Amino acid sequence: MSPDSSTPTCTPTLPGFTCGLDATLRVIAGKWKPLILYFLAQGGPTRYGELRRAVRDASDKMLIQQLKELEADDLIKRTDYKEVPPRVDYSLTPLGLSLAQALVPLCTWGTENMAEVTRVFEQRAAARR
């Protein structure tokens, strides 16, 4: 983006990161993290089973790993109610909520372009056959 644009540029000013986008991508790196953040942003605290159903294709192992990483990065909060049977839920921290809000335009783009993206993926799959 140009410096005269009203949109801020992504410049390499952060130590350890190429730019702000680099920092963001490192935090959401992982196939399921953006979806987890999206689904947690839809409502209040969410139980593991609800997340499991929402993120359908993720294995339990992968979902748990990604949840732990998001918690370690202070994007989500895990609440263990110390009950039998076990009851645990997940919610967004303020940092996680701000990131989830930043993902909204990507969700909108995906919704608006879903037919075209589907067509492109079908063409790619056909070319591999």
Side-chain angles (χ1 to χ4, degrees):
M1 292 175 211
S2 66
D4 60 336
S5 167
S6 62
T7 307
T9 60
C10 191
T11 57
T13 58
L14 302 170
F17 298 104
T18 320
C19 65
L21 181 59
D22 183 25
T24 304
L25 291 175
R26 287 194 205 181
V27 170
I28 63 170
K31 186 173 182 178
W32 308 110
K33 287 181 185 179
L35 283 176
I36 292 167
L37 293 168
Y38 170 80
F39 287 118
L40 288 177
Q42 301 307 302
T46 305
R47 306 256 329 247
Y48 176 80
E50 294 173 79
L51 280 173
R52 181 76 183 91
R53 286 186 294 279
V55 186
R56 295 180 284 227
D57 296 330
S59 68
D60 281 317
K61 177 184 175 188
M62 185 56 64
L63 184 57
I64 290 167
Q65 177 185 331
Q66 303 250 302
L67 286 166
K68 285 180 179 181
E69 290 175 12
L70 288 167
E71 184 181 15
D73 292 340
D74 196 33
L75 296 172
I76 66 171
K77 178 183 175 196
R78 180 181 186 270
T79 304
D80 185 345
Y81 293 93
K82 310 281 188 216
E83 297 176 352
V84 177
R87 181 166 69 110
V88 174
D89 64 35
Y90 298 89
S91 58
L92 293 173
T93 64
L95 184 63
L97 181 59
S98 69
L99 180 54
Q101 291 168 341
L103 293 173
V104 169
L106 291 175
C107 182
T108 302
W109 183 91
T111 300
E112 291 172 354
N113 294 284
M114 199 173 297
E116 182 69 10
V117 171
T118 299
R119 184 190 65 73
V120 168
F121 284 0
E122 287 172 349
Q123 281 181 335
R124 187 186 314 161
R128 281 187 282 208
R129 291 184 210 138

